[in-house]
Amino acid sequence: MREAFGSHFATPNPWGNKVGLYDLGQGWQRVGVRPFATEQLRLSAGVDDLMAATAAPAVAAYVSNSSCAHLEGRTPAGPSFSLHLPNNDEPCGYQHVEDSPRRVDPDLAVHALGTWAVEAGRTPSTEAITAIMGSEQDNLPVMEDAVLALSAALGFPSGAEILPVINPDDPAFDDYQRVIRMADIRAAREKYMASRGWPLDDDEKATAEDHDYLRFRDLLWSSVYGGGATRDELVAQHDQLAARWKKQ
């Protein structure tokens, strides 16, 4: 999941967390995630990989500026789709990480989504899917909400939120927050320049401190929902980093 879509999971806040990690029942989960600057979103290939890893249908939506969405769906049996929401011929005005899908005949779009849902063992609402895919942008809610409405139309319940076991904004990691934003930017810039064979001055490259904190970030975000380090282990590693670089 992180390799395909990124590591920055949406975590709880005072206003709720509609795009956090949710258990939808019967083995299904839904989660919101975005890449850091040093990560690259692989929307189409990521859905392919997720389907292959789970041997189950998979779907992802890339939401741009809460205004439009690029939808990709796959099933092991073959049916797939690549759709844009809203589904019209007008340029959405937002840059997509992959080419924005062209308009699909509304009946074909509804059929593709319904077929995906049936392959996923759901009972879709053709009427609800038709209403969403036939709506113009001005008639759609904030796109995150439109995607959640489409999930419901495909036959998925709202589900129960799975709370993180590690808070990435834990005050114990305050020194990490100080360093990591610029470290991410410098490392991403260095990676981009190298990919094009362009030179970069040494003083503009990511530092040894940056790389240390980026490794810590990777461990931290791989632990947010369990399966990584414990909080005590993360605090100990963070304190070691802070002490090491405070001496420099």
Side-chain angles (χ1 to χ4, degrees):
M1 190 72 171
R2 296 172 61 232
E3 182 180 347
F5 306 111
S7 300
H8 194 291
F9 294 104
T11 51
N13 61 61
W15 300 277
N17 190 32
K18 292 186 291 186
V19 292
L21 178 60
Y22 278 76
D23 179 2
L24 306 182
Q26 297 180 322
W28 290 96
Q29 291 183 332
R30 184 188 72 237
V31 68
V33 63
R34 64 180 174 84
F36 290 107
T38 45
E39 298 176 320
Q40 183 177 3
L41 173 62
R42 298 168 52 250
L43 188 63
S44 300
V47 175
D48 290 337
D49 291 348
L50 186 58
M51 181 195 68
T54 60
V59 63
Y62 171 74
V63 175
S64 182
N65 284 44
S66 296
S67 296
C68 65
H70 178 165
L71 310 170
E72 293 284 341
R74 306 284 187 275
T75 71
S80 65
F81 60 81
S82 181
L83 301 169
H84 189 269
L85 190 61
N87 180 36
N88 56 37
D89 289 321
E90 299 176 9
C92 66
Y94 294 97
Q95 183 177 1
H96 289 270
V97 292
E98 298 175 4
D99 290 339
S100 174
R102 295 181 179 180
R103 177 183 180 275
V104 176
D105 179 272
D107 290 340
L108 294 179
V110 172
H111 176 73
L113 287 161
T115 299
W116 183 94
V118 171
E119 290 288 341
R122 316 310 301 173
T123 303
S125 168
T126 301
E127 182 179 3
I129 295 173
T130 300
I132 294 168
M133 294 307 299
S135 295
E136 295 298 324
Q137 185 163 346
D138 291 345
N139 295 324
L140 287 166
V142 171
M143 191 52 62
E144 288 83 354
D145 289 338
V147 170
L148 293 178
L150 182 58
S151 174
L154 292 175
F156 291 102
S158 56
E161 185 176 5
I162 301 172
L163 296 176
V165 297
I166 299 293
N167 176 12
D169 296 320
D170 192 316
F173 309 137
D174 60 341
D175 191 70
Y176 154 83
Q177 300 290 356
R178 175 185 65 82
V179 175
I180 199 61
R181 180 176 175 273
M182 289 308 301
D184 192 40
I185 292 173
R186 280 191 290 264
R189 179 176 56 196
E190 183 176 351
K191 183 178 179 181
Y192 175 82
M193 297 289 280
S195 71
R196 281 156 176 74
W198 295 343
L200 187 66
D201 293 339
D202 287 343
D203 61 357
E204 295 181 307
K205 295 180 179 179
T207 66
E209 179 182 12
D210 289 338
H211 288 298
D212 271 355
Y213 275 89
L214 286 167
R215 282 189 287 270
F216 176 77
R217 182 195 67 185
D218 185 63
L219 178 61
L220 172 63
W221 283 89
S222 68
S223 306
V224 167
Y225 285 107
T230 66
R231 181 182 182 277
D232 288 345
E233 290 169 339
L234 288 166
V235 170
Q237 290 211 23
H238 169 267
D239 290 348
Q240 290 174 7
L241 275 182
R244 179 185 310 161
W245 291 107
K246 197 173 291 184
K247 297 175 183 177
Q248 302 300 315

